[in-house]
Amino acid sequence: LREAFPWDEAPKYLIHDRDTAFHAWATTAPALGINEVITAVRSPWQNAYAERLIGSIRRECLDHIIIGNERGLRRVLHAYVTYYLRSRTHLSLDKDAPITRRVASRTDGTIVTIPHVGGLHHHYERRAA
């Protein structure tokens, strides 16, 4: 249980669609005190945040990489989440990353590229020579 929920307690709700992958939760969730909330058929907008995140991970990362095993998947996802939070710009944040960055001036040095997710994405910043 500690590995599945690394914080102190299990979540109150599990929101999911009618995918057969969730059938195992039919008995497990109530045993853990989790209430299942099943979205309507063909209604991805009912779980829009998860759909958006999963879509971004798939389109920007997993569609371009061959994953060999669970350890490799965890490593790639960790690298992508780090990139997503620290470097990827978001229009809703005025083209900033969720973990905000300072704006560099022209006097800060030359522009260098920093690869992320094994070179799949890049971050550009100014560094002093």
Side-chain angles (χ1 to χ4, degrees):
L1 185 63
R2 185 80 174 143
E3 186 176 313
F5 309 114
W7 46 94
D8 291 334
E9 58 189 45
K12 291 183 181 182
Y13 300 98
L14 172 65
I15 301 172
H16 64 85
D17 57 14
R18 296 168 187 275
D19 191 323
T20 56
F22 292 102
H23 285 276
W25 278 99
T27 56
T28 307
L32 294 173
I34 301 172
N35 297 314
E36 283 187 286
V37 177
I38 301 173
T39 60
V41 176
R42 295 187 178 132
S43 302
W45 59 87
Q46 290 185 342
N47 199 3
Y49 295 109
E51 294 289 336
R52 172 69 174 147
L53 178 63
I54 291 166
S56 292
I57 291 169
R58 192 187 74 247
R59 284 185 304 275
E60 298 175 13
C61 184
L62 298 178
D63 284 355
H64 305 282
I65 298 174
I66 297 173
I67 304 295
N69 56 29
E70 180 182 350
R71 185 171 160 236
L73 176 62
R74 287 181 183 274
R75 189 181 74 246
V76 167
L77 289 177
H78 183 271
Y80 179 76
V81 168
T82 301
Y83 159 76
Y84 186 89
L85 293 175
R86 296 183 182 277
S87 300
R88 185 181 180 274
T89 58
H90 299 258
L91 290 177
S92 64
L93 299 174
D94 280 337
K95 297 182 182 176
D96 196 5
I99 297 175
T100 191
R101 307 167 293 174
R102 73 173 192 85
V103 177
S105 70
R106 293 177 192 247
T107 60
D108 287 344
T110 59
I111 298 174
V112 296
T113 182
I114 301 165
H116 293 280
V117 193
L120 184 61
H121 297 284
H122 290 83
H123 166 133
Y124 302 91
E125 66 181 45
R126 290 189 179 272
R127 292 226 175 126

